[in-house]
Amino acid sequence: MVGSLLGLLPVGRGFSLGGWLALNTVTIGMAAAGITLGLALVRPWGMRIPGWLVGFFAWVGSGFLVSILPFVVVSALVNSAAGSSKGSGSSGSDAAMPGWEAALLQCSFVGTGIALAIALPAYWWRRWPHTLSRPEPPSMGSSSGPLWPAVSGAVTGLFWLYWAAGGSLGIAHSDERPAGWHVLVGVSACWALVAAAAVLALVRRRSTRLPYPLLLALAWLGSGSMFAWSGWRLPATVYVALAHPSDVSYPENATVALALHVTAVLTGAGIMGTLVGGNRGRANVTDSAQQSADRTGRRP
């Protein structure tokens, strides 16, 4: 931000100086929230934070960082293959981003994502162990939640998968789809489909070979990915659709992209609502035990 103010570093494409500073201010705030979350997951005082607060930030954070780890691996392989086939004269880096900044961003995303994938389950096991056990099966033909998140998640995921495979329906600028775009859309599609399948299994409570904690984790990560990334892209898509900046053009048709992002945000929230609704009572039991232990000085 200081470099942009002093004119030493360029701003991103499609942004004025004010918009660029506003965007980076938001990301600095997100980084501060992420640092606080990381400390809360491993320090004793983190067990006393209201469950809904730490749960929400952990859900959004894992949706941003843990779900993107497959994209980092696949895109690195794709870029390596593309670089070897084109020779050393091509470079896919953004001119507005110095090489050292890109390296730091990649390391921070990968490192924080791996750390969160380890710290969050450990925290969850310490605070809400009862929610990781499979609940009693319901009566025949009943379900434990609504089915619409699974349906909308599957529809969104299939549409994204169609784009990742090269489909042109809903695409306005076919030449604006580099290999990285296909990989990113494909990873987003996979998480949407995984979340839809996982929440369907949880709602219907049918017998499955997958362990119950794994189903929870898949629904958690998939819904977090849909909510976080589509929520992040939604304002930018609205801006491009309304302002029509001359140096920015998204591959997707703006109306179709807006509809998919809104659907993804609502679906992610709906899946999380289903998970919370199914485990609220059992989580409250553990939180009450934790609060009692804090008062008496003994562990639950």
Side-chain angles (χ1 to χ4, degrees):
M1 290 175 66
V2 172
S4 297
L5 284 171
L6 297 178
L8 301 177
L9 292 175
V11 300
R13 291 190 308 163
F15 286 93
S16 63
L17 178 60
W20 186 243
L21 295 178
L23 176 65
N24 281 277
T25 300
V26 171
T27 58
I28 289 174
M30 294 171 66
I35 293 170
T36 305
L37 172 64
L39 292 173
L41 293 178
V42 297
R43 301 301 300 163
W45 54 264
M47 300 291 288
R48 296 189 293 272
I49 298 177
W52 68 267
L53 185 61
V54 66
F56 176 77
F57 279 99
W59 175 55
V60 174
S62 57
F64 269 125
L65 298 172
V66 179
S67 68
I68 207 67
L69 292 176
F71 166 75
V72 174
V73 176
V74 176
S75 63
L77 296 175
V78 171
N79 291 336
S80 176
S84 61
S85 63
K86 294 181 180 180
S88 59
S90 62
S91 175
S93 60
D94 189 348
M97 180 182 295
W100 57 266
E101 183 181 357
L104 286 178
L105 285 174
Q106 286 287 76
C107 291
S108 66
F109 265 64
V110 173
T112 311
I114 293 175
L116 187 58
I118 297 172
L120 180 57
Y123 177 91
W124 202 278
W125 175 255
R126 294 195 305 271
R127 185 163 184 176
W128 301 297
H130 295 153
T131 62
L132 299 178
S133 59
R134 190 181 298 272
E136 293 295 328
S139 57
M140 185 66 64
S142 63
S143 63
S144 60
L147 295 178
W148 70 263
V151 175
S152 60
V155 171
T156 304
L158 289 174
F159 207 103
W160 281 340
L161 193 63
Y162 166 76
W163 277 351
S168 58
L169 181 63
I171 297 296
H173 306 282
S174 299
D175 55 341
E176 295 286 340
R177 296 189 293 178
W181 181 88
H182 287 275
V183 175
L184 182 60
V185 175
V187 170
S188 299
C190 290
W191 279 119
L193 294 173
V194 164
V199 76
L200 180 62
L202 292 171
V203 167
R204 301 301 297 271
R205 295 185 183 177
R206 292 179 175 177
S207 59
T208 175
R209 295 181 179 180
L210 294 179
Y212 183 74
L214 180 58
L215 286 175
L216 288 178
L218 293 176
W220 173 282
L221 288 174
S223 62
S225 174
M226 298 178 73
F227 182 87
W229 283 109
S230 284
W232 175 256
R233 295 172 183 138
L234 191 57
T237 305
V238 172
Y239 168 75
V240 171
L242 296 179
H244 300 289
S246 58
D247 54 348
V248 173
S249 59
Y250 287 165
E252 310 94 324
N253 176 276
T255 303
V256 177
L258 285 173
L260 287 175
H261 288 322
V262 170
T263 302
V265 169
L266 295 177
T267 300
I271 293 176
M272 177 49 58
T274 301
L275 298 181
V276 171
N279 289 296
R280 182 182 290 113
R282 296 192 293 163
N284 287 339
V285 171
T286 309
D287 268 349
S288 299
Q290 178 65 42
Q291 292 170 4
S292 176
D294 289 339
R295 289 192 296 268
T296 60
R298 296 193 303 267
R299 296 188 63 183

